[in-house]
Amino acid sequence: MVQLVAERVQALAVGGVKELPEQFIRPSHERPENSKAVEGVTMPVISLSQPHEVVVLEVAKACEEWGFFLVTDHGISPALVRRLQEVGEEFFGLRQEEKEAYANDAASGNFEGYGTRMTKNHDEKVEWIDYFFHFMAPPSKVNYGIWPKNPPAYRKVTEEYNKEMLRITDTLLELLSEGLGLEGKALKSVLGGEEIEVEMKINFYPPCPQPQLALGVEPHTDMSALTLLVPNDVPGLQVSKDGNWFAVNYLPNALFIHVGDQLEVLSNGKYKSVLHRSLVNKERTRMSWAVFVVPPQETTIGPVAKLVDDQNPAKYSAKTFADYRYRKFNKLPQ
């Protein structure tokens, strides 16, 4: 069987395409020009240096109201984040044939490696994005063979960043557990404990000739428990609240935290999985480094038993994460 090589969005942009090819033009109601975001609204920004009880309350409030917040004073060195961004930028700056050596085969379910999103949406529209995806934890899931060999520092920098992501994830899951009235280790335990999976996805959105007609990523919620993201300084992320889009401003040295579907299910709807999308830019490349925290495939995820009683019946059915993923990818009801 011949594997079709996807046309890379970066190759289109570098080739100087002047008009957006048809498959990238969103239906009218989805276009950024027809669904403008509210600007200048302040998202929750939470400093981890505050007293613990204050942080617990602020995180719970943000997750209930927005499903999204920014974290500062998290202890990750700005120099490490800069190095992470540099090695990602260097990979995408390689010659096209060098990048293609890492091409994934998403059609057969192998997402690790270099890819271009071929979305299964009903109008067969695609997004203005290329990406690189791989596991960072646990060690049993990591395949260093698919990690970029070039730039040579990629592995060392990414392993260092992974340690910080594991540390911050533990902190956040503890805060989120306490915000639900559970003991601190509760959410980590039901998500798989030390077997929790951590995935890195580098999103690359090159300059787009007609950004008002396209989307970098269409509106979606993440199927993860949590997503921890750092962007470059090119804006584009928007989150939805009460039926409106809100533009997220860049905040240097902050981590952008998204509540994902598994956390909404575990909290029985108290925490909200955030609907979000990404816009693109005419002049500049937008990049983001998204770290997805997910349970192992065979872990059963349902509302935590202590949060369910006669007054608060379960709003979600329990299922394995593998089953959840299959349904979400194929747009089947959960």
Side-chain angles (χ1 to χ4, degrees):
M1 187 178 123
V2 180
Q3 189 189 335
L4 294 174
V5 177
E7 178 154 31
R8 305 302 181 190
V9 175
Q10 186 179 9
L12 279 176
V14 170
V17 63
K18 294 282 183 285
E19 282 194 6
L20 207 56
E22 180 62 34
Q23 72 269 29
F24 292 100
I25 299 177
R26 308 307 300 192
S28 179
H29 67 281
E30 280 188 16
R31 293 175 194 169
E33 60 183 3
N34 295 331
S35 52
K36 287 203 175 9
V38 180
E39 301 273 351
V41 172
T42 308
M43 308 281 154
V45 178
I46 302 172
S47 164
L48 295 187
S49 67
Q50 300 175 99
H52 182 76
E53 313 69 57
V54 175
V55 181
V56 168
L57 290 172
E58 287 190 3
V59 166
K61 184 168 188 280
C63 292
E64 290 169 30
E65 293 179 4
W66 287 88
F68 177 83
F69 56 100
L70 286 78
V71 162
T72 59
D73 302 310
H74 43 63
I76 302 174
S77 135
L80 175 58
V81 174
R82 187 62 233 136
R83 293 210 311 279
L84 177 82
Q85 294 181 320
E86 282 166 0
V87 293
E89 287 161 5
E90 282 175 45
F91 173 80
F92 279 95
L94 296 175
R95 295 193 329 275
Q96 197 57 41
E97 56 271 27
E98 242 188 293
K99 293 196 287 276
E100 292 299 345
Y102 299 93
N104 66 8
D105 185 9
S108 66
N110 180 17
F111 290 95
E112 283 201 274
Y114 174 54
T116 298
R117 189 96 173 261
M118 293 293 136
T119 317
K120 281 193 172 178
N121 68 13
H122 298 310
D123 301 321
E124 286 306 308
K125 292 295 178 190
V126 289
E127 300 161 315
W128 192 259
I129 180 176
D130 297 329
Y131 65 85
F132 199 97
F133 176 86
H134 63 79
F135 285 96
M136 295 200 298
S140 60
K141 294 286 289 190
V142 175
N143 170 15
Y144 290 118
I146 200 69
W147 289 31
K149 309 274 182 298
N150 197 2
Y154 184 89
R155 176 168 167 176
K156 181 175 183 293
V157 171
T158 303
E159 286 185 322
E160 206 180 320
Y161 191 68
N162 175 54
K163 285 186 195 139
E164 294 289 68
M165 289 294 99
L166 291 170
R167 176 181 66 80
I168 295 286
T169 295
D170 279 0
T171 300
L172 290 173
L173 288 176
E174 197 169 306
L175 292 164
L176 289 158
S177 296
E178 291 180 23
L180 293 169
L182 304 170
E183 65 92 19
K185 298 279 181 281
L187 287 175
K188 182 173 181 178
S189 168
V190 293
L191 283 165
E194 295 308 313
E195 294 307 303
I196 283 178
E197 295 177 6
V198 180
E199 305 163 343
M200 165 64 82
K201 183 167 176 252
I202 307 173
N203 297 307
F204 185 88
Y205 311 94
C208 177
Q210 295 172 292
Q212 72 283 6
L213 302 179
L215 287 173
V217 178
E218 64 187 28
H220 68 290
T221 59
D222 291 345
M223 65 176 92
S224 58
L226 278 178
T227 304
L228 293 71
L229 180 135
V230 290
N232 69 356
D233 62 352
V234 179
L237 177 63
Q238 298 186 344
V239 299
S240 177
K241 181 177 185 282
D242 305 326
N244 292 307
W245 288 109
F246 293 86
V248 181
N249 294 331
Y250 174 65
L251 183 62
N253 302 323
L255 279 178
F256 294 50
I257 311 296
H258 299 68
V259 172
D261 297 347
Q262 305 314 303
L263 203 49
E264 179 172 319
V265 170
L266 287 166
S267 71
N268 202 31
K270 187 173 181 190
Y271 296 157
K272 194 175 86 183
S273 184
V274 63
L275 184 69
H276 56 288
R277 67 180 185 179
S278 188
L279 273 50
V280 289
N281 191 286
K282 187 158 188 172
E283 278 82 37
R284 299 182 64 198
T285 295
R286 172 172 154 75
M287 289 183 74
S288 64
W289 286 256
V291 171
F292 301 110
V293 176
V294 304
Q297 296 288 313
E298 294 315 312
T299 308
T300 298
I301 301 291
V304 172
K306 283 187 176 162
L307 303 179
V308 176
D309 57 27
D310 292 346
Q311 278 72 49
N312 302 287
K315 296 176 182 166
Y316 307 86
S317 64
K319 59 178 72 68
T320 65
F321 183 56
D323 187 23
Y324 189 95
R325 278 190 65 190
Y326 175 81
R327 291 166 184 265
K328 180 126 175 162
F329 273 129
N330 291 289
K331 297 193 162 36
L332 302 169
Q334 292 291 349

